[in-house]
Amino acid sequence: MAKATTIKEALAKWEEKSGEKAAEALEVKLYGQVPPIEKMDASLSTLSNCEKLSLSTNCIEKIANLNGLKKLKILSLGRNNIKNFNGLESVGETLEELWISYNLIEKLKGIHAMKQLRVLYMSNNLVKDWAEFGKLADLPNLVDLVFVGNPIEEKYSSEGVWVDEATKRLTRLKKLDGIPVIKQVEEEADD
């Protein structure tokens, strides 16, 4: 099998194609590399100006080397082999959107570090229980969540209670699975 593409090689290809310097760019697209990227290596630290980084559709297993990305707001890691959120801590103060659908995430340990996170797209992962889902309540700014295709969503959607149960646990959500959350205001009887 072909040797994996390194971040350094992918950046060189991207610079050649885009005509931009990666170190100065606000948005860097390294998705769908052939052969795929397997490691988020130290070359990422050169992207000091980057606000949006796309690494989706590769074979990345671990989130790493984001400490140089001091301005990162949107990180796209969908369709990889990522199992956990370790490695995101270094962008916890700036990251506003995390697109991480179609991975292998079962546990949400470490998600609490994402203090600025407003948008989390993590459909089609492996989250099974409310204890894990409940960790999302530690995100003070989370308003848009896509969780379709996780075992917990499939189970409770089939029972017809997913939206109620999820929004009860995450009271600040404005959008769940692409649908605006309508809060039912309980009116007290004036008897």
Side-chain angles (χ1 to χ4, degrees):
M1 193 177 129
K3 188 171 85 53
T5 300
T6 65
I7 296 283
K8 189 175 182 177
E9 293 164 343
L11 285 171
K13 267 198 279 186
W14 180 84
E15 285 183 333
E16 190 179 316
K17 194 172 150 187
S18 70
E20 291 184 67
K21 283 190 167 50
E24 297 166 8
L26 292 179
E27 182 174 355
V28 178
K29 299 175 181 177
L30 305 178
Y31 57 82
Q33 296 292 308
V34 180
I37 295 169
E38 291 179 0
K39 283 192 171 69
M40 292 174 70
D41 64 43
S43 302
L44 284 173
S45 64
T46 61
L47 306 178
S48 56
N49 213 31
C50 186
E51 292 181 3
K52 181 177 181 184
L53 175 61
S54 178
L55 287 162
S56 55
T57 316
N58 280 293
C59 291
I60 296 165
E61 291 185 14
K62 287 187 173 113
I63 300 169
N65 290 301
L66 292 174
N67 36 343
L69 286 82
K70 301 287 182 221
K71 297 181 178 178
L72 193 65
K73 290 183 176 156
I74 301 172
L75 178 58
S76 173
L77 286 167
R79 297 186 187 277
N80 276 290
N81 300 318
I82 295 166
K83 296 179 180 73
N84 59 51
F85 290 113
N86 296 347
L88 281 174
E89 309 79 19
S90 55
V91 291
E93 293 301 317
T94 59
L95 199 67
E96 295 176 10
E97 298 189 21
L98 178 59
W99 307 348
I100 197 158
S101 295
Y102 294 94
N103 274 286
L104 306 168
I105 298 167
E106 194 175 330
K107 304 277 184 216
L108 301 182
K109 182 175 178 254
I111 193 77
H112 67 278
M114 304 288 97
K115 294 299 178 205
Q116 302 304 318
L117 203 66
R118 294 180 305 99
V119 175
L120 177 59
Y121 297 152
M122 68 170 292
S123 68
N124 300 284
N125 273 282
L126 303 172
V127 180
K128 296 182 184 73
D129 59 53
W130 290 120
E132 287 305 316
F133 183 86
K135 291 176 183 172
L136 296 174
D138 293 339
L139 304 174
N141 297 303
L142 186 66
V143 292
D144 185 355
L145 174 67
V146 175
F147 223 72
V148 169
N150 278 279
I152 188 171
E153 178 275 333
E154 291 172 341
K155 177 184 191 307
Y156 290 96
S157 282
S158 70
E159 295 173 14
V161 296
W162 166 246
V163 173
D164 288 343
E165 291 296 323
T167 55
K168 187 167 55 179
R169 288 167 171 83
L170 304 178
T171 56
R172 291 182 288 271
L173 278 187
K174 293 188 181 353
K175 218 169 169 191
L176 177 62
D177 300 329
I179 299 163
V181 173
I182 310 295
K183 300 267 194 279
Q184 296 296 326
V185 179
E186 292 182 31
E187 294 182 28
E188 294 183 20
D190 291 329
D191 298 338

